[in-house]
Amino acid sequence: MHEFLIAVVAFILLVGVMVVVHEFGHFAVAKLCGVRVEAFSVGFGPRLFGVKYGDTDYKICLLPLGGYVKMTGETPEQNLSLPGTEPGTPVLYQAAEKALSGSPEKTLPAPENYESLADDPGAFTSHPRWQRMLIGVAGPVANFILAFGLMLFYFGVFNEVPKSEVTTATIEWVSPGSAAATAGIQTGDIIRHFDSVGNPDWDAINRVSALNQGQTLPLTVDRGGKAVQLSLRVPPPAKNQDFDLLDAGYYPELVPGPIEVKEVEPGYPAVQAGLRDGDAIQSVDGHEFHTVQALLAYMQQGAGKPITLVVIRNGVTLPPMVAHPTKIENAWKLGFAPRQIPFRHEPLPLDQAYSKAKAFCVDNSTMIFDVLGGIFTHKVAVSQLSGPVGIARMAGEAAETRGWLPKFALAAGISLNLGILNLMPFPILDGGLIMLLLIESVIRRDINIDVKERIYQAAFVVLLVFFAFIIVNDVTKLPLFTHLKP
């Protein structure tokens, strides 16, 4: 329940800010262009409170899931109004029929008798197409600016750096029988070339692997000073599971030194073997492990077999101690909490922070296009996409993860995603609006309102079906359902 509440609150805050900033971009440019903005809403549903200033109702609504901007004449049904009504009053055929149901003739006026918003200087459709395009693109641009600003602030104010780290892509452990072992990768190898990336870090290796699931990639490793050419088949994730680089069976060496024990759990194998708070595990069965992930993988391979630990306590190496792993939460463990990697803050000068923020935005933006391309080329499964439930899960994890980087990086990444996806040329999205305006510019006339309505209705149905698929896909990835699987 605690994790659920954290995820919900983090999701509402995260998505709320992203969408409000997006809508503010539309709002600001619309105001500059002289378009009448009828409402700027934070949230959806019934109005709780607000203030009307000029033509605009600035309001807070009940459901805090983003917000919206309402402009006169923005949607096709607003482009006509019944005689005697306020400009911009939505008049769909059914609504007009209902409004006229009390008239003696019980009939609708002929279409030519409707008043057009073209004569309303404040209507969205009364403005030149280039201004409407600017208004459409302003929302995504606001998201791009927000993403860049967040990372510029992070690198300029925080910039968390591990106090000690391994700067090369060094392999700490390879699970026997795994894809990495089959490829010939060995413990201690240093990856010098991975697919088309030279001297990659683990972020680059993870990104390239995620975009080539089920594919065989070339890599070059440094093994004792010699270059060895290998080929690795990147295993696709199990059904309804997110991609995880560790599924290939090789574990990165992220920090030097032994595994430090923060706290041992009473009654578990660690205590029974003699492990104490503050100890450091130098080796296990002669293997030097630096991260808990690699140690856990080794213990799963042994399936509960006793292991011999060499432990350092207060700078003194103790005699070897034998531990008997036990099943804890469906995995073989010893029952201790490791000390987290210590960080230090090294704020960067403005020019360096600018360069790092720019690189983050460029890398994450190109990755979005790579993922979309991977979906169309069947290298990336559609099930790897995340919707609201997946974003809520990630937001909750980021909120509970130590340090500022997970929080800023997730927020900036989602803001970039929101901006780029809204620029896709699909009706209902900002990119769809721009596409229709470009078509009208080419044919030098407005597309028929009825045609626009049909396009938007069809797009809405497609978007609804896709949204339902993403929701179901997200839900099947929840721990509740993964635990039910064999």
Side-chain angles (χ1 to χ4, degrees), residues 71-80 90 117 124-125 449 456:
M71 293 175 278
T72 301
E74 179 182 10
T75 56
E77 67 269 19
Q78 285 183 300
N79 291 328
L80 295 173
L117 285 178
F124 180 73
T125 47
I449 291 178
Y456 280 118

Side-chain angles (χ1 to χ4, degrees), residues 70-143:
K70 181 183 177 184
M71 293 175 278
T72 301
E74 179 182 10
T75 56
E77 67 269 19
Q78 285 183 300
N79 291 328
L80 295 173
S81 57
L82 287 171
T85 61
E86 289 293 324
T89 302
V91 184
L92 291 171
Y93 188 90
Q94 295 84 351
E97 185 173 32
K98 182 179 179 181
L100 295 171
S101 60
S103 62
E105 58 274 10
K106 305 285 186 180
T107 58
L108 288 168
E112 59 269 17
N113 292 328
Y114 281 78
E115 295 177 353
S116 173
L117 285 178
D119 298 327
D120 180 3
F124 180 73
T125 47
S126 299
H127 287 71
R129 293 191 182 96
W130 67 267
Q131 288 189 358
R132 285 180 270 167
M133 290 183 195
L134 282 181
I135 294 171
V137 80
V141 168
N143 284 125

Side-chain angles (χ1 to χ4, degrees), residues 130 229 236 285 326 352 387:
W130 67 267
Q229 308 290 331
D285 291 340
T326 187
Q352 295 182 31

Side-chain angles (χ1 to χ4, degrees), residues 444-462:
R444 296 186 177 183
R445 61 181 175 83
D446 290 343
I447 298 173
N448 184 274
I449 291 178
D450 290 335
V451 174
K452 281 186 179 181
E453 283 191 4
R454 298 295 179 268
I455 291 173
Y456 280 118
Q457 288 169 358
F460 179 75
V461 172
V462 172

Side-chain angles (χ1 to χ4, degrees), residues 123-174:
F124 180 73
T125 47
S126 299
H127 287 71
R129 293 191 182 96
W130 67 267
Q131 288 189 358
R132 285 180 270 167
M133 290 183 195
L134 282 181
I135 294 171
V137 80
V141 168
N143 284 125
F144 300 148
I145 294 173
L146 175 63
F148 179 79
L150 285 172
M151 296 315 297
L152 181 66
F153 181 82
Y154 168 78
F155 287 118
V157 175
F158 299 111
N159 192 39
E160 297 157 332
V161 179
K163 289 187 176 180
S164 59
E165 61 180 329
V166 177
T167 57
T168 56
T170 303
I171 307 296
E172 179 173 331
W173 174 252
V174 178

Side-chain angles (χ1 to χ4, degrees), residues 120-343:
D120 180 3
F124 180 73
T125 47
S126 299
H127 287 71
R129 293 191 182 96
W130 67 267
Q131 288 189 358
R132 285 180 270 167
M133 290 183 195
L134 282 181
I135 294 171
V137 80
V141 168
N143 284 125
F144 300 148
I145 294 173
L146 175 63
F148 179 79
L150 285 172
M151 296 315 297
L152 181 66
F153 181 82
Y154 168 78
F155 287 118
V157 175
F158 299 111
N159 192 39
E160 297 157 332
V161 179
K163 289 187 176 180
S164 59
E165 61 180 329
V166 177
T167 57
T168 56
T170 303
I171 307 296
E172 179 173 331
W173 174 252
V174 178
S175 296
S178 64
T182 303
I185 299 174
Q186 297 180 11
T187 298
D189 285 351
I190 302 174
I191 301 177
R192 296 299 187 188
H193 205 277
F194 192 84
D195 194 30
S196 60
V197 182
N199 294 318
D201 57 17
W202 285 108
D203 285 338
I205 293 172
N206 184 67
R207 182 168 60 250
V208 173
S209 299
L211 295 173
N212 291 277
Q213 301 167 24
Q215 308 296 311
T216 300
L217 302 178
L219 68 152
T220 302
V221 301
D222 181 339
R223 185 175 296 162
K226 295 182 180 180
V228 180
Q229 308 290 331
L230 302 171
S231 295
L232 170 69
R233 182 182 182 277
V234 181
K239 185 178 180 181
N240 296 327
Q241 296 294 312
D242 290 325
F243 175 80
D244 190 343
L245 181 66
L246 302 183
D247 290 341
Y250 58 145
Y251 292 79
E253 182 179 333
L254 301 176
V255 292
I259 297 174
E260 296 184 8
V261 177
K262 178 182 179 181
E263 182 180 8
V264 292
E265 295 290 338
Y268 283 100
V271 170
Q272 296 166 359
L275 210 58
R276 299 290 181 266
D277 296 355
D279 286 351
I281 303 175
Q282 187 176 40
S283 67
V284 179
D285 291 340
H287 304 288
E288 292 187 359
F289 291 110
H290 310 280
T291 58
V292 170
Q293 289 85 353
L295 174 57
L296 285 171
Y298 178 76
M299 289 192 292
Q300 306 322 301
Q301 194 71 31
K305 293 181 180 178
I307 56 177
T308 301
L309 311 177
V310 174
V311 175
I312 299 175
R313 181 176 298 162
N314 298 324
V316 178
T317 302
L318 304 180
M321 56 181 68
V322 178
H324 300 265
T326 187
K327 271 287 186 76
I328 305 174
E329 297 178 349
N330 297 320
W332 295 100
K333 299 180 181 180
L334 294 179
F336 72 89
R339 190 177 302 279
Q340 294 182 328
I341 300 173
F343 288 90

Side-chain angles (χ1 to χ4, degrees), residues 453-473:
E453 283 191 4
R454 298 295 179 268
I455 291 173
Y456 280 118
Q457 288 169 358
F460 179 75
V461 172
V462 172
L463 209 60
L464 199 62
V465 171
F466 181 72
F467 187 74
F469 167 79
I470 293 295
I471 290 288
V472 172
N473 182 59

